[in-house]
Amino acid sequence: MTPHRHDQHPHHHKQPEEHQEHRDHEAGLADLLDLDAEVLGPFLDEVTGWVRGQTRAAPRAIVDVGAGTGTGTAALARRFPGARLVAVDRSPVMLDRVAATARTQGLAERLRVVPADLDVAWPEIGAVDLAWLASSLHHAQDPDRLLRDLHGALRPGGLLVVIEMDGMPRFLPDDLGIGRPGLEARGKEAMARARWNAYPNWRPHLERAGFADVAERAFTFDIHPAPPAAHRYAHGVLRTLRHGLADQLAADDLDTLDRLLAVDAPESVLHRDDLIVRGRRIAWAARRP
């Protein structure tokens, strides 16, 4: 569940070197999603517990829409052990990770992976009782059409869950001991200006698509001490910030980021002992009448 989980928009025809670069980018993003799952596992269990409270009966069929590496798929499988699951994504790299996760967690017999570009058409996966979209709906070219497709895919009484990330997670104290205080706050402001991960309040969109009983909840997490994987997670998130906002941040902030990302530097996020994983996700749950 990261801000730029993957781009579901169609791509122009790629030359071989462009294709390899794209696959390398997706592989790096997949690594970051796997770290997100490792660090935020307890948080995901809290979210799926809330989802269970919104359902009228344990779902028999679940679809993870824009599944990424299967973070949500695995969390839903743990919460609903009697359900069969479908993971939908346009990226072969991501679906390979989903399948690998399913094998290692003993879910392979319950899971089907389906490649699909949701900007083109909804795939033929049969009726479902629960649809899960984590950090994926805002990537759709026509989210209202996708919501109508999901309304049609759900059985009457079925539940749709949409989750969005309120900016990138934060890891660092305000005063790092290097550079100007407030680096992450300035990074979040730059992300907002660049409209990274921008999404609306989905409630009116859900209601227009025919959904009812819309519930909304904010989930915050503040994990300290940070688990060991948080160091690599922070490194991946800050590297994304450094590369994506190089033209938005001041030169001294870029220099500080370079020092935080240096593998061997003592101030690197890979070695700091003051990391705290903080963030917020917004969830909407809505029912097909």
Side-chain angles (χ1 to χ4, degrees):
M1 291 168 30
T2 57
H4 287 280
R5 180 176 190 143
H6 59 282
D7 184 359
Q8 292 185 358
H9 295 177
H11 295 277
H12 61 80
H13 180 70
K14 293 181 172 63
Q15 297 300 320
E17 61 274 13
E18 289 182 280
H19 183 75
Q20 185 58 48
E21 182 179 349
H22 179 68
R23 286 187 65 87
D24 290 345
H25 170 75
E26 289 203 328
L29 182 54
D31 290 341
L32 192 58
L33 289 171
D34 285 342
L35 284 168
D36 182 274
E38 184 175 352
V39 173
L40 300 181
F43 158 78
L44 279 171
D45 290 339
E46 181 184 1
V47 177
T48 59
W50 176 74
V51 171
R52 178 65 183 92
Q54 300 295 315
T55 60
R56 291 177 175 171
R60 293 169 291 161
I62 299 172
V63 60
D64 186 356
V65 181
T69 59
T71 296
T73 311
L76 291 163
R78 292 192 298 270
R79 179 62 62 184
F80 302 107
R84 61 180 176 84
L85 301 108
V86 180
V88 177
D89 204 289
R90 74 176 303 275
S91 165
V93 172
M94 297 297 177
L95 290 178
D96 285 347
R97 293 288 185 99
V98 176
T101 297
R103 289 192 297 270
T104 59
Q105 297 193 19
L107 304 175
E109 293 186 359
R110 296 171 56 195
L111 175 70
R112 178 160 58 109
V113 297
V114 175
D117 186 339
L118 300 176
D119 287 326
V120 175
W122 179 253
E124 295 293 332
I125 62 170
V128 297
D129 305 294
L130 173 62
W132 168 279
L133 297 89
S135 298
S136 58
L137 182 57
H138 69 265
H139 285 298
Q141 286 186 340
D142 187 349
D144 290 314
R145 195 222 76 209
L146 178 55
L147 288 174
R148 292 193 297 271
D149 288 343
L150 286 159
H151 187 275
L154 282 164
R155 293 187 178 98
L159 194 71
L160 172 67
V161 178
V162 177
I163 301 174
E164 296 286 8
M165 175 185 280
D166 186 19
M168 280 189 173
R170 296 179 65 177
F171 306 93
L172 299 166
D174 188 62
D175 188 348
L176 300 170
I178 58 173
R180 280 184 293 146
L183 173 66
E184 282 186 318
R186 290 190 294 279
K188 184 172 184 177
E189 291 169 0
M191 286 173 53
R193 290 195 300 271
R195 296 194 59 75
W196 276 26
N197 204 53
Y199 60 87
N201 181 341
W202 289 116
R203 176 184 292 272
H205 296 261
L206 291 163
E207 291 172 344
R208 282 200 301 270
F211 289 94
D213 303 329
V214 180
E216 181 178 340
R217 179 171 166 181
F219 292 86
T220 60
F221 51 91
D222 190 329
I223 306 171
H224 61 281
H231 293 83
R232 289 180 291 125
Y233 185 39
H235 193 271
V237 169
L238 291 176
R239 183 175 57 206
T240 299
L241 182 71
R242 172 66 176 84
H243 291 165
L245 296 176
D247 60 344
Q248 299 283 325
L249 296 174
D252 62 329
D253 281 341
L254 295 175
D255 179 67
T256 300
L257 280 169
D258 288 338
R259 295 172 67 181
L260 291 168
L261 293 169
V263 174
D264 298 325
E267 61 268 27
S268 169
V269 292
L270 294 172
H271 309 300
R272 298 181 72 100
D273 60 4
D274 57 356
L275 297 188
I276 298 175
V277 186
R278 295 160 294 177
R280 191 170 82 126
R281 309 280 163 93
I282 311 297
W284 294 263
R287 195 176 317 282
R288 174 179 173 174

